[in-house]
Amino acid sequence: FFFNDTATTEIYTQAFVGSVRCVQETGIGSYYMNNGAVHKGNWANDKQNGYGIETWTDGTVYEGNYVDGKKEGKGKFIWPDRSEYIGEFKENKLFGKGTQKWNDGRQYNGDWENNNMHGSGEYIW
């Protein structure tokens, strides 16, 4: 979609390439955001639903499941420094069982809640 924001006279370019039903992204497609991020995957009712991969210009990557536009269920998140989390997400947050590996060799395997280590787990350094 291309539109002109007359308040700032900047032209924003966002585009969806894929199936559109009743003016809503549906099916498998790619969404290119004006900040350079790209989401490729399944869509339903204008939201990411099911498996998808999202990449940002700084090298951050999320690969996993979405429900109603939010990271939900199993997924893998990689930060620009190549640290990574593999595990469960709930409403875009690390939540449930998962493993965080930092690029300096530290690792935590265990429970997460609201992006924090929470409950039982093992921290290795």
Side-chain angles (χ1 to χ4, degrees):
F1 302 107
F2 302 95
F3 61 91
N4 184 351
D5 179 348
T6 56
T8 61
T9 65
E10 293 180 35
I11 300 212
Y12 296 93
T13 56
Q14 296 185 150
F16 177 78
V17 179
S19 300
V20 177
R21 182 177 300 155
C22 297
V23 194
Q24 293 184 339
E25 288 93 4
T26 299
I28 296 173
S30 300
Y31 188 75
Y32 299 87
M33 295 165 241
N34 61 1
N35 66 2
V38 177
H39 175 88
K40 295 181 179 184
N42 295 307
W43 293 80
N45 303 320
D46 272 348
K47 296 179 182 176
Q48 301 104 318
N49 269 291
Y51 175 79
I53 299 173
E54 192 159 346
T55 57
W56 290 264
T57 57
D58 67 358
T60 301
V61 177
Y62 171 75
E63 179 177 359
N65 198 56
Y66 287 85
V67 174
D68 290 331
K70 296 181 180 177
K71 297 168 191 70
E72 187 86 26
K74 305 243 182 226
K76 179 178 183 178
F77 196 94
I78 303 172
W79 283 268
D81 70 357
R82 307 323 294 160
S83 296
E84 67 179 31
Y85 170 83
I86 299 173
E88 297 173 334
F89 290 79
K90 183 177 181 182
E91 295 189 358
N92 285 334
K93 295 182 180 177
L94 312 181
F95 201 103
K97 299 285 184 193
T99 300
Q100 169 82 38
K101 294 179 182 177
W102 288 268
N103 65 1
D104 63 5
R106 293 176 295 133
Q107 180 173 315
Y108 173 77
N109 305 304
D111 298 331
W112 293 82
E113 187 174 307
N114 295 320
N115 291 335
N116 295 302
M117 295 177 260
H118 181 84
S120 82
E122 178 183 35
Y123 187 78
I124 302 165
W125 66 95

